[in-house]
Amino acid sequence: MKIIMLGAPGAGKGTQAKMLAEKFNIPHISTGDIFRANIKEGTELGKKAKEYMDKGLLVPDELVVDLVMDRFKADDCKDGYILDGFPRTIPQAEALDKALAAVGEKMDYAINVDVPDENIVNRMSGRRACVGCGATYHIKYNPTKVEGICDKCGKELILRDDDKPETVLNRLKVYHDQTQPLIDYYGKAGIVRDVDGTVDMNDVFNAILDILSK
Ligand SMILES: [Zn+2]
């Protein structure tokens, strides 16, 4: 089973990807992990990627696809995998499809975890992080015993810049411009399945399992 997770940043697709990976015993693949592993092991692809990253440049799509295709060859991918955070753009999706087609493969599902922007902004702006130990909380879903104080170390909690509404809205804009078109792209291939991401994460998970069982 080869699955691509789609959805806005903060929609919870990473959490779902993890749950699915565990359930089906297939790897949860993110390009960040692939980059780190290849750079650490000093592979040829890793060295190439590092050259771009050291210069502060984006790793070109072709190289990312080479790295991803190389990862798919690993033994743990024989029953499938879950791609999370890649592809992010239409050119990346096209390059990946082409590389998969060249080895006689294709993606089976693109699961779109659908959450309206305002829900995402609300979720993110409720997050709090401890300045001492880095523990994270949520004022509504995972509150501390004493407001504004870390349960673990007693230090102060802050709203990180990353979680501030203006930052979240910027990320959502990039998502709508570059990544949301993938829903149409994979829709044309007939593999998109939408799930309501606003409900409890276990209900989202069950909805996905239901889709995959059909
Ligand atoms: Zn703390």
Side-chain angles (χ1 to χ4, degrees), residues 130-135 137 150-155 157:
C130 172
V131 294
C133 69
Y137 302 91
C150 180
D151 285 349
K152 290 178 185 147
C153 74
K155 293 254 166 66
L157 302 182

